[in-house]
Amino acid sequence: MQRERGKSQHATIRALAFKWIRIMFRCWQTQTPYDELRYLAALQRHHAPLLDSVSKSDQVFGPQPPASTQKNRRSTGK
């Protein structure tokens, strides 16, 4: 979205880093792991335009497996 708005590559990366820092800080404050479904629900509640971009990326890359599946893959080394 940032690139579509004419922002430079560096400005785009800074915007993305800012979002992730806010997410990680909140996870640290509440001592909870990151939950993508919770984040997407928050975007939906706030009518964020980012939600449209996320749904477009699912169309391109396909839906990602649930976090519990990814966790099991890491622990088994697969």
Side-chain angles (χ1 to χ4, degrees), residues 14-30 32 34 39 42-43 46 48 50:
R14 281 193 305 272
L16 179 62
F18 178 74
K19 282 202 176 296
W20 271 109
I21 288 170
R22 289 179 57 207
I23 291 168
M24 289 186 297
F25 183 71
R26 181 65 173 193
C27 289
W28 176 66
Q29 279 185 320
T30 60
T32 56
Y34 172 71
Y39 179 65
L43 289 177
H46 295 286
L50 181 60

Side-chain angles (χ1 to χ4, degrees), residues 19 23 34-44 50 54:
K19 282 202 176 296
I23 291 168
Y34 172 71
D35 182 8
E36 184 175 13
L37 295 178
R38 184 176 181 178
Y39 179 65
L40 293 175
L43 289 177
Q44 193 170 25
L50 181 60
V54 172

Side-chain angles (χ1 to χ4, degrees), residues 33-78:
Y34 172 71
D35 182 8
E36 184 175 13
L37 295 178
R38 184 176 181 178
Y39 179 65
L40 293 175
L43 289 177
Q44 193 170 25
R45 274 194 316 273
H46 295 286
H47 305 288
L50 181 60
L51 192 59
D52 295 333
S53 296
V54 172
S55 64
K56 287 178 188 174
S57 69
D58 281 348
Q59 292 172 358
V60 173
F61 299 110
Q64 300 299 314
S68 61
T69 305
Q70 292 174 354
K71 184 179 179 182
N72 291 339
R73 288 183 183 167
R74 287 186 202 129
S75 63
T76 60
K78 291 182 181 179

